[in-house]
Amino acid sequence: MSNEVWCIIPAAGVGKRMQTAIPKQYLRLHGQTVLEHTVACFLQHSAIHGVVVVVSAADEYWAELAPKYQGQRVYQAIGGQERAHSVLSGLKYLQQTLSLAEDTQVLVHDAARPCLAAADLTALLAAKAEHGAILATPVRDTMKRGFKGQTVISHTEERADLWHALTPQLAPLGLLTMAIEQALQAGITLTDEASALEYLGLHPLLVEGDARNIKITRPADLALAAFFLQE
Ligand code: CTP
Ligand code: MG
């Protein structure tokens, strides 16, 4: 039995919706890059054994940051076309390069979410979910279903059981690798790890997290993240 917890940080995206010259994970917030804030969330948590940062093959910025992490169990893997390919590359790194056990607990956390609170990470790890667990927040707005791509209301969705999926998402190394491989092979679109586990018919747990754990996606999100980090 492995008691180790490792983290994969997919950071191989180009940040198209952010519309900045450099990828959003390398934009600065209070004097540090977004990615440095994100990595720090995990390095500062006592339960985490190590971190794999997954960067693009064309990345020009990681090499500048990497020396800072020497001797701190921060490793690098090369990402792929979609986020799921990048995550899979991180999982292979843990399995093949670091030879970690299949039951190692793996967290996957977006590089673009620098505002993760230590308490949320602790709560997620405490879930000890056999088939995975994710941080999520309950939906608070009234949710309307549109109609065949038109801007017209079909009906109001029952809000009670709707959640926003956040990261980190937690699952055993072997199970998550198998789930993502099988879902990709079947041509399923994966925007998070839980969807791969769902594809296998599993039901990962929802752990309520802080809504300030936003993903920097559009230009206005950067100022919001700066505000939350300062709090
Ligand atoms: N990501 C990745 N590999 C990809 C695509 C995305 O590692 N091929 C990472 C991003 O770097 C980000 C996280 O996955 O930290 C969440 O993805 P998203 O917010 O969509 O980031 P981007 O794909 O970079 O942004 P956009 O979709 O606007 O281009
Ligand atoms: Mg994307």
Side-chain angles (χ1 to χ4, degrees), residues 26 33 35-36 39 43 53 55 59-76:
Y26 296 112
T33 61
L35 181 56
E36 286 170 279
V39 171
L43 290 186
V53 178
V55 299
D59 187 287
E60 298 169 23
Y61 307 95
W62 173 248
E64 245 175 77
L65 298 183
K68 169 181 167 165
Y69 298 114
Q70 230 166 21
Q72 292 193 72
R73 288 194 173 189
V74 176
Y75 301 89
Q76 179 209 308

Side-chain angles (χ1 to χ4, degrees), residues 100-129:
L100 297 186
E102 298 286 284
D103 61 354
T104 302
Q105 291 292 319
V106 179
L107 295 156
V108 179
H109 184 69
D110 294 324
R113 290 184 194 268
C115 307
L116 171 67
D120 278 8
L121 185 46
T122 303
L124 181 66
L125 291 172
K128 293 224 183 328

Side-chain angles (χ1 to χ4, degrees), residues 32-53:
Q32 281 199 326
T33 61
V34 169
L35 181 56
E36 286 170 279
H37 285 285
T38 305
V39 171
C41 297
F42 295 93
L43 290 186
Q44 286 164 8
H45 198 286
S46 59
I48 308 301
H49 288 79
V51 174
V52 179
V53 178

Side-chain angles (χ1 to χ4, degrees), residues 22 27-28 53 73 76 103 142 176 187-188 190 200 209 218:
I22 66 171
L27 295 175
R28 287 192 168 267
V53 178
R73 288 194 173 189
Q76 179 209 308
D103 61 354
T142 298
L176 184 57
I188 306 289
L190 297 175
L200 293 186
R218 287 159 300 178

Side-chain angles (χ1 to χ4, degrees), residues 205-229:
L205 297 180
L206 293 160
V207 176
E208 184 166 352
D210 194 315
R212 286 172 292 192
N213 177 13
I214 59 165
K215 180 160 70 68
I216 298 172
T217 305
R218 287 159 300 178
D221 297 331
L222 197 65
L224 202 54
F227 177 73
F228 290 150
L229 277 175

Side-chain angles (χ1 to χ4, degrees), residues 13-17 24 81-83 215 217:
V14 293
K16 211 170 171 182
R17 288 168 288 180
K24 60 191 181 185
Q81 192 62 32
E82 304 290 334
R83 183 182 174 285
K215 180 160 70 68
T217 305

Side-chain angles (χ1 to χ4, degrees), residues 5 25 31 47 68 88 93 190 203 208:
V5 183
Q25 57 273 30
K68 169 181 167 165
L88 192 55
Y93 189 90
L190 297 175
H203 298 282
E208 184 166 352

